[in-house]
Amino acid sequence: WAQGVLRNAGFKFDDFIIVPGPSDNGKPVFLLNADAFIFWQRKEPDLQAGQTLMAQLVMDPAIQTMYSQITGSIPVRTDVDLSGDGWSDGQRRTAAALKDAVANNQAVLSLAHNMAQENGLTAAMIDVLTEYVKNKTIKPEQAVTRLAEAVEGAR
């Protein structure tokens, strides 16, 4: 996403790099955070038609291309061609990394963005993790116990 901000500020693709995060087993890993649209089930035909139209527009390959080239993200659709102008090598590598991470079962949903679970559970976990990182007197074993207790308490 920073790519879109940098490009809008006048930077060129050669002015910055996009690199993968570290992995401890040599396989690509991918932290997934995606925008989502939620359509509540409606009975009114005009609202159903509007929801269908919105879904069609959002998933249109041309819209996916335009949006991702502006923002620096990668398309949610895996059939969008990233070989042409307007795509950075970083976007191409990122799309390939996602594909590889999915194939290797190493695509994980973002804890910080509530993609992996509900907000209350995230908040409980982040509180414990933050305390552990900031308080050097907490032993790893204590942190693990506190994390488990926080999760149980938030369920």
Side-chain angles (χ1 to χ4, degrees):
W1 287 91
Q3 175 181 300
V5 173
L6 293 169
R7 296 276 294 156
N8 191 48
F11 291 95
K12 307 288 183 247
F13 287 139
D14 292 341
D15 294 333
F16 55 90
I17 61 170
I18 299 170
V19 296
S23 170
D24 64 358
N25 66 1
K27 295 179 181 174
V29 81
F30 200 95
L31 179 64
L32 186 60
N33 177 33
D35 294 330
F37 294 97
I38 298 172
F39 298 111
W40 305 114
Q41 188 172 6
R42 302 298 301 250
K43 295 181 183 186
E44 302 90 341
D46 61 330
L47 295 179
Q48 289 177 353
Q51 290 174 337
T52 299
L53 177 60
M54 174 72 172
Q56 289 170 340
L57 289 171
V58 168
M59 294 305 293
D60 182 277
I63 300 294
Q64 289 279 309
T65 296
M66 179 183 62
Y67 179 81
S68 292
Q69 287 182 345
I70 290 170
T71 64
S73 63
I74 60 172
V76 69
R77 292 186 60 139
T78 58
D79 62 344
V80 172
D81 180 12
L82 278 67
S83 65
D85 289 338
W87 297 104
S88 70
D89 289 339
Q91 285 170 298
R92 292 181 190 103
R93 284 191 305 270
T94 300
L98 176 57
K99 182 179 180 181
D100 289 346
V102 168
N104 286 293
N105 199 29
Q106 293 210 159
V108 294
L109 297 174
S110 172
L111 173 74
H113 298 96
N114 295 321
M115 298 293 294
Q117 72 291 313
E118 65 184 39
N119 192 27
L121 191 56
T122 301
M125 293 173 73
I126 288 176
D127 285 349
V128 173
L129 294 170
T130 301
E131 182 182 10
Y132 174 68
V133 169
K134 298 289 185 181
N135 184 346
K136 297 194 184 309
T137 65
I138 299 174
K139 304 285 184 241
E141 298 78 15
Q142 293 172 307
V144 168
T145 299
R146 289 181 186 183
L147 187 58
E149 290 169 352
V151 168
E152 278 302 314
R155 285 187 185 185

